[in-house]
């Protein structure tokens, strides 16, 4: 007998009509106010000013802003927009928007569509309820959104969405975009200066990002029967299904028709919004999938990922699904990540992390490659902190995702190259040494990378041919956080590198190539501890990492401590990415988020125990007792042998009922005690060390009861029902 009425869409077929089969290239960016639309709707003067602002960061004056707003309004109205909004990224981790109509009244009472430069460039939404980490008082509602011209506006449904930053009255960042833009500016300046060692025509370097978004799809009707999924995005209880991912039959398997229908609708919506999605496939776990786009400039890529997650929620709902972005929605099977593939590209079209056809181009590659390794080695603990969250703690360190120890995989071939460079003599190079380095070591890099197909899946930060892949980012995380830290680190490292190279040229009279080789040689030596090509899941590596003095922060409260360390404060100040006040605020917000997430999970878990699990178990106990009583009445003294199985089940249910109630009560008492802590650091640590352990105790007893209680009486959709879409 079915206990849940799932949406009966399993027999749907993907019907492709002429409109749906329209070429993706024709649909792409249809709803985006991009370069093509600006050429049509802006004056030549306004167009040139916007392009200059995008390239160099120059401010746009009020006159030009009015012209841009007029053109943007005309385009948006033609696209059917009725409202506009400043689309921003508060520290909640999601996006935010307040819609205003293109509507106003004149003094004589006539109506008109109004949208000017003032509305485009800056707005003042009520900021009182957004997290600020103490930057502003609750009674002070002032917070300002300011237009980001580097990320084009777009029309979604009937609203013109204008990407913006969100800052306080005194200018501190209240969002994730403002620090990212500062970090991208810092890495642009530093990387351009270094790139000009090799090509004087380089005028700009931009960071690129290609994310890989993993997610789960479950039936919406079944999801609505689970309070834990609705409130926390994951299952807090649930016994493993007999079949999970052990056969590896879901990975890259045939995409179910119903899911394919969802994916097709999603991709079409992504195309018109300018999100260049390209790849889709089944992931390892049942009901787990992945999609990935073409690489883009990092700021735009971050915006597109956030927009994608909003669109996925809407499209999934229309197709009778609930999409889960939680890093670990189901115990016992793989969780979801969001691999961040990062590189640097010049305005001349060169990927700085891709080997070239000449020794000089390969020396350029080595320069950026080794500096990235050096930067990550110096600030590995800070980079780890950028991916910390209550939900990602379930994934990091498990045998499915990168460990909490940050290490870098480069592969045997490149390790051999670095070892050879490490052996280069200090100071000036002889003609023979120069020839050996340029031709036999540096010159052969493209050849050795051609067949470098070994990919270490346990490495949190791996070089994969022409980019670094940061694998520890959580599925529901805003990519802006790790991208801000990574680009800040690399910017600082490249700035330091240039100072050292210039000093050797000026003071030691070394030629440029010699100076570069000398500095890189020292970096290879001093950053050797971060390089590791082995099994990141092994206990041996954990012991070895400890010897190398690499951090191993396995939970969020420990990981976030480094945010306000002396080195972190100095790093962000030197690069002008965040000041001390902002760092303290961001740390406090992250700790608050951690506490709130576990607090909500604790409350829902208590509700599940008292309102779902215990009543179901008692009801089944009563049925068994009635059965035993009836058998005793019929069989008399002979009932003992007949009722032994029932009595055994009754005893086991009783044991686990006592245990689960005791754990739930103790958890609730511990939570009430933790909530009395004023200091957020202590409160977060209390939730981590004292309250979370009860979750596993409760789950263990609940999952046993699920197996003991009649399937018909169990009130929660089971894993075997949730995890297999037809």
């Amino acid at each position: 007998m079915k206990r849940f009425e799932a949406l009966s869409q399993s027999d749907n077929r993907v019907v492709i009509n002429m409109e749906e089969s329209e070429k993706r290239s024709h649909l792409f960016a249809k709803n985006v106010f991009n370069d093509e639309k600006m050429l049509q709707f802006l004056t030549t003067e306004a167009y040139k000013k916007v392009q200059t602002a995008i390239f160099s960061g120059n401010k746009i004056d009020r006159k030009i802003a009015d012209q841009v707003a007029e053109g943007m309004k005309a385009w948006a109205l033609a696209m059917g927009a009725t409202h506009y909004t400043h689309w921003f990224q508060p520290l909640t981790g999601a996006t935010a928007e307040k819609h205003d109509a293109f509507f106003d009244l004149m003094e004589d009472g006539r109506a008109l569509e109004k949208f000017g430069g003032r509305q485009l460039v800056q707005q003042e939404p009520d900021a009182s309820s957004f997290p600020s980490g103490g930057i502003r008082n609750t009674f002070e509602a002032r917070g300002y959104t300011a237009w980001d011209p580097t990320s084009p506006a777009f029309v979604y449904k009937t609203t013109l969405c204008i990407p913006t930053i969100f800052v306080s009255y005194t200018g501190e960042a209240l969002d994730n975009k403002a620090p990212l833009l500062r970090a991208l500016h810092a890495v642009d300046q530093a990387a351009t200066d270094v790139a000009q060692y090799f090509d004087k025509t380089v005028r700009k370097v931009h960071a690129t990002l290609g994310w890989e978004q993993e997610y789960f799809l479950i039936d919406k009707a079944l999801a609505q029967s689970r309070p834990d999924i609705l409130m926390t995005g994951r299952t807090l209880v649930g016994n493993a299904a007999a079949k999970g991912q052990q056969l590896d039959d879901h990975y890259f398997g045939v995409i179910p028709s119903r899911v394919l229908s969802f994916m097709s609708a999603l991709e079409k919506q992504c195309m018109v919004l300018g999100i260049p999605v390209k790849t889709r496939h089944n992931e390892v776990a049942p009901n787990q999938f992945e999609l990935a786009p073409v690489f883009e400039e990092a700021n735009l890529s971050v915006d597109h990922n956030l927009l994608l997650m909003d669109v996925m929620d809407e499209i999934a709902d229309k197709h009778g699904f609930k999409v889960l972005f939680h890093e670990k929605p189901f115990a016992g099977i793989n969780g979801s990540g969001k691999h961040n593939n990062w590189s640097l590209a010049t305005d001349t079209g060169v990927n700085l992390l891709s080997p070239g056809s000449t020794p000089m181009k390969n020396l350029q590659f080595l320069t950026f490659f080794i500096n990235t390794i050096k930067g990550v080695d110096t600030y590995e603990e800070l980079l780890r902190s950028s991916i910390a969250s209550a939900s990602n703690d379930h994934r990091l360190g498990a045998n499915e995702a990168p460990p909490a120890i940050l290490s870098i995989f480069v592969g045997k071939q490149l390790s051999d190259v670095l070892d050879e460079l490490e052996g280069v003599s200090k100071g000036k190079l002889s003609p023979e040494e120069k020839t050996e380095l340029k031709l036999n070591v540096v010159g052969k890099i493209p050849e050795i990378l051609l067949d470098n197909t070994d990919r270490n899946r346990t490495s949190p930060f791996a070089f994969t041919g022409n980019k670094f892949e940061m694998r520890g980012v959580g599925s529901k995380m805003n990519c802006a956080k790790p991208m801000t830290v990574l680009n800040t680190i690399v910017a600082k490292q490249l700035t330091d590198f240039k100072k050292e190279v210039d000093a050797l040229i000026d003071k030691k009279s070394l030629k440029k190539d010699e100076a570069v080789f000398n500095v890189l040689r020292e970096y290879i030596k001093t950053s050797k501890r971060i390089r590791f090509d082995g099994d990141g899941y092994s206990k041996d590596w954990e012991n070895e990492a400890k010897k190398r003095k690499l951090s191993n922060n396995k939970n969020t409260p420990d990981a976030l401590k480094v945010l306000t360390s002396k080195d972190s404060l100095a790093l962000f100040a030197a690069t002008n990415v965040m000041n001390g006040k902002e760092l303290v605020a961001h740390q406090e917000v992250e700790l608050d988020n951690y506490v709130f997430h576990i607090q909500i999970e604790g409350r829902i878990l208590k509700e599940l125990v008292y309102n779902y699990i215990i009543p179901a178990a008692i009801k089944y106990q009563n049925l068994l007792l009635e059965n035993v009583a009836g058998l005793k009445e019929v069989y008399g003294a002979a009932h003992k042998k007949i009722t032994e199985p029932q009595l055994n089940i009754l005893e086991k249910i009783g044991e686990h009922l006592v245990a689960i109630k005791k754990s739930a009560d103790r958890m609730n008492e511990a939570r009430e005690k933790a909530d009395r802590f004023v200091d957020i650091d202590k409160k977060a640590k209390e939730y981590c060390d004292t309250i979370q352990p009860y979750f596993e105790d409760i789950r263990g007893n609940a999952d046993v009861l699920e197996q003991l209680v009649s399937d018909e009486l169990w009130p929660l959709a089971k894993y075997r029902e949730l995890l297999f879409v037809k």
Side-chain angles (χ1 to χ4, degrees):
M1 180 174 135
K2 290 187 179 179
R3 295 174 293 110
F4 302 102
E5 189 63 35
L7 299 181
S8 57
Q9 299 183 19
S10 58
D11 59 345
N12 283 359
R13 296 293 181 267
V14 181
V15 179
I16 302 177
N17 57 35
M18 291 300 291
E19 182 184 355
E20 289 172 336
S21 64
E22 187 177 354
K23 288 183 178 179
R24 292 288 192 258
S25 58
H26 294 168
L27 291 172
F28 187 69
K30 183 179 177 182
N31 288 18
V32 181
F33 195 65
N34 56 11
D35 195 69
E36 178 188 345
K37 313 300 191 317
M38 285 192 282
L39 280 169
Q40 294 177 41
F41 286 88
L42 298 187
T43 64
T44 301
E45 179 187 24
Y47 174 77
K48 287 181 178 178
K49 290 287 187 181
V50 172
Q51 292 303 310
T52 301
I54 292 171
F55 187 85
S56 62
N58 291 351
K59 289 186 177 180
I60 295 175
D61 61 39
R62 179 60 182 274
K63 174 190 169 187
I64 297 300
D66 284 335
Q67 291 181 27
V68 174
E70 191 59 37
M72 195 181 287
K73 180 186 74 175
W75 170 76
L77 291 173
M79 294 297 296
T82 59
H83 290 69
Y84 65 91
T85 183
H86 276 199
W87 187 75
F88 58 104
Q89 305 171 25
L91 296 177
T92 57
T95 58
E97 52 197 64
K98 181 188 76 171
H99 297 194
D100 286 300
F102 289 116
F103 174 82
D104 208 345
L105 288 176
M106 298 173 66
E107 289 184 3
D108 59 5
R110 286 182 296 162
L112 77 162
E113 275 74 31
K114 185 177 180 181
F115 180 67
R118 186 174 64 83
Q119 287 83 14
L120 167 65
V121 173
Q122 183 174 301
Q123 292 279 279
E124 186 182 342
D126 182 357
S128 60
S129 294
F130 287 118
S132 70
I135 284 179
R136 39 156 304 285
N137 294 312
T138 304
F139 61 84
E140 295 170 327
R142 281 191 176 181
Y144 295 94
T145 50
W147 176 37
D148 169 20
T150 65
S151 184
F154 57 91
V155 169
Y156 185 46
K157 300 178 185 176
T158 59
T159 304
L160 171 67
C161 300
I162 304 160
T164 62
I165 63 171
F166 182 44
V167 296
S168 70
Y169 176 71
T170 48
E172 286 90 6
L174 293 172
D175 69 344
N176 289 304
K177 181 186 266 281
L180 174 64
L181 290 176
R182 295 173 194 162
L184 294 174
H185 177 67
V187 82
D188 170 21
Q189 288 187 316
T192 298
D193 287 345
V194 173
Q196 287 180 351
Y197 279 146
F198 309 97
D199 182 356
K200 294 292 184 185
T201 66
V202 174
R203 290 291 175 267
K204 187 174 182 63
V205 172
H206 60 264
T208 63
L209 170 64
W211 36 262
E212 301 166 30
Q213 180 69 60
E214 294 176 341
Y215 61 98
F216 281 81
L217 285 177
I218 61 173
D219 190 275
K220 182 171 72 172
L222 295 179
Q224 288 172 342
S225 74
R226 297 273 318 212
D228 48 355
I229 291 177
L230 292 180
M231 294 292 105
T232 72
R234 75 178 181 110
T235 56
L236 296 172
V237 297
N239 187 56
K243 180 180 182 291
Q245 64 189 47
Q246 62 266 51
L247 298 178
D248 294 324
D249 54 341
H250 190 258
Y251 191 49
F252 279 24
V254 176
I255 300 171
S257 296
R258 186 176 163 197
V259 175
L260 190 59
S261 179
F262 156 78
M263 288 179 169
S264 297
L266 173 63
E267 288 170 358
K268 184 175 180 180
Q269 184 65 69
C270 285
M271 283 295 111
V272 299
L273 290 170
I275 306 172
V277 293
K278 185 175 177 69
T279 303
R280 66 189 185 196
H281 63 83
N282 290 4
E283 254 300 334
V284 176
N287 273 29
Q288 187 185 35
F289 308 94
E290 179 182 298
L291 83 162
V294 176
F295 279 58
E296 297 181 283
E297 184 276 326
N299 176 47
L300 180 59
S301 185
V302 167
D303 283 359
H304 278 165
N305 182 248
L306 289 169
L307 178 58
L308 170 91
M309 291 193 285
D310 289 340
V311 172
M312 285 178 77
D313 278 331
E314 183 192 359
I315 301 290
D317 187 69
K318 290 178 179 177
H319 285 255
F321 286 122
K322 171 74 174 173
V323 59
L324 302 182
F325 293 113
H326 194 287
E327 284 78 6
K328 192 70 173 177
F330 300 99
I333 60 174
N334 278 14
S336 297
K338 180 153 47 193
H339 297 176
N340 277 208
N341 296 281
W342 171 90
S343 190
L344 295 169
T346 69
D347 59 331
T348 58
V350 174
N351 178 352
L352 294 171
L353 285 173
S354 182
S357 56
T358 66
M360 180 57 74
K361 288 180 180 177
N362 290 326
L363 181 56
Q364 176 179 265
F365 156 72
L366 281 173
T367 295
F368 286 91
F369 175 69
I370 294 169
N371 269 282
T372 301
I373 294 172
K374 174 64 175 171
V376 172
D377 175 67
T378 305
Y379 296 102
E380 49 88 14
E381 190 171 13
L382 181 63
L383 194 58
R384 161 67 181 96
S385 75
S386 72
I387 55 175
S389 71
S391 53
N392 210 22
D393 281 357
H394 293 286
R395 178 174 162 265
L396 294 178
N399 288 344
E400 59 170 90
I405 304 164
L406 222 0
S407 64
I408 298 177
F409 166 82
V410 300
K412 184 180 184 304
Q413 292 91 338
L414 279 174
S415 286
D416 291 344
V417 171
L418 296 183
D419 290 343
E420 289 194 62
L421 288 174
E422 187 182 347
V424 174
S425 57
K426 199 171 182 179
K428 291 187 177 182
L429 302 174
S430 68
E432 293 79 12
E433 286 176 318
K434 285 183 180 179
T435 301
E436 171 67 20
L437 276 173
K438 289 188 175 180
L439 296 181
N440 297 331
V441 179
V442 178
K444 291 185 178 180
I445 288 175
E447 295 172 27
I448 65 170
L449 284 179
L450 197 62
D451 296 317
N452 184 22
T453 55
D454 179 31
R455 299 290 171 88
N456 187 318
R457 305 310 299 174
T458 70
S459 174
F461 199 84
F463 184 72
T464 54
N466 60 1
K467 62 190 181 299
F468 280 98
E469 183 178 6
M470 192 172 178
R471 296 199 179 114
V473 183
S475 173
K476 70 177 183 179
M477 186 169 286
N478 185 337
C479 296
K481 292 195 286 186
M483 285 297 102
T484 295
V485 174
L486 179 58
N487 285 290
T488 301
I489 287 169
V490 174
K492 177 66 165 63
Q493 179 54 49
L494 289 172
T495 301
D496 292 346
F497 170 77
K498 188 173 188 305
K499 288 178 182 176
E500 291 185 54
V501 170
D502 288 347
L504 288 178
I505 294 171
D506 295 339
K507 296 176 183 177
K508 302 274 187 176
S509 299
L510 295 183
K511 291 183 178 180
K512 180 185 67 181
D513 290 2
E514 291 173 328
V516 168
F517 275 125
N518 271 263
V519 177
L520 292 181
R521 171 182 172 272
E522 292 307 308
Y523 285 175
I524 292 168
K525 286 182 179 180
T526 56
S527 64
K528 208 164 186 175
R529 67 166 189 159
I530 199 75
R531 285 163 39 203
F532 178 68
D533 292 354
D535 182 4
Y537 297 149
S538 69
K539 188 67 178 176
D540 289 343
W541 167 234
E542 192 168 335
N543 295 332
E544 173 62 24
K546 190 174 182 179
K547 291 179 186 176
R548 297 187 189 189
K549 297 183 179 179
L550 292 170
S551 66
N552 186 12
N553 295 320
K554 296 183 178 182
N555 60 67
T556 295
D558 288 345
L560 291 176
K561 287 178 182 177
V562 72
L563 265 182
T564 50
S565 69
K566 182 180 177 182
D567 288 343
S568 296
L569 291 168
L571 166 71
F572 285 106
T575 51
N576 294 314
V577 172
M578 281 196 278
N579 60 34
K581 189 176 181 180
E582 288 172 319
L583 280 170
V584 169
H586 279 237
Q587 182 187 54
E588 184 174 322
V589 169
E590 292 291 341
L591 288 170
D592 271 334
N593 285 338
Y594 177 83
V595 168
F596 291 146
H597 274 94
I598 299 177
Q599 185 184 78
I600 292 167
E601 288 187 348
R603 287 173 175 172
I604 289 297
L605 199 49
K606 180 188 175 186
E607 181 182 332
L608 289 176
V609 169
Y610 276 92
N611 300 128
Y612 289 77
I613 295 168
I614 290 178
I618 291 174
K619 190 172 184 179
Y620 190 54
Q621 272 185 324
N622 289 335
L623 285 175
L624 290 173
L625 285 169
E626 287 177 20
N627 180 259
V628 169
L631 289 171
K632 184 177 181 181
E633 187 177 331
V634 172
Y635 290 98
H639 82 279
K640 291 183 180 179
K641 202 176 240 184
I642 300 170
T643 59
E644 185 179 346
Q646 295 92 317
L647 292 170
N648 183 260
I649 293 172
L650 277 166
E651 186 178 345
K652 287 182 179 178
I653 290 175
E655 288 174 3
H656 290 287
L657 277 175
V658 170
I660 200 170
K661 182 182 181 302
K662 187 181 291 184
S663 291
D665 289 344
R666 287 177 176 174
M667 175 196 69
N668 201 52
E669 289 168 7
R671 187 169 55 79
E672 289 175 353
K673 179 183 175 184
D675 287 340
R676 291 195 287 269
F677 281 89
V678 176
D679 187 290
I680 187 60
D681 299 281
K682 292 179 180 177
K683 183 185 284 190
K685 198 64 180 161
E686 188 73 9
Y687 263 91
C688 178
D689 295 342
T690 305
I691 296 167
Q692 266 203 315
Y694 285 113
F695 288 15
E696 288 307 310
D697 289 342
I698 293 169
R699 178 172 206 136
N701 286 294
D703 292 355
V704 172
L705 286 169
E706 181 184 321
Q707 296 172 79
L708 293 172
V709 173
S710 166
D711 183 69
E712 189 175 10
L713 294 180
W714 193 253
L716 302 167
K718 296 184 177 182
Y719 273 26
R720 61 175 165 76
E721 296 167 312
L722 293 167
L723 281 171
F724 297 94
V725 168
K726 296 295 183 185

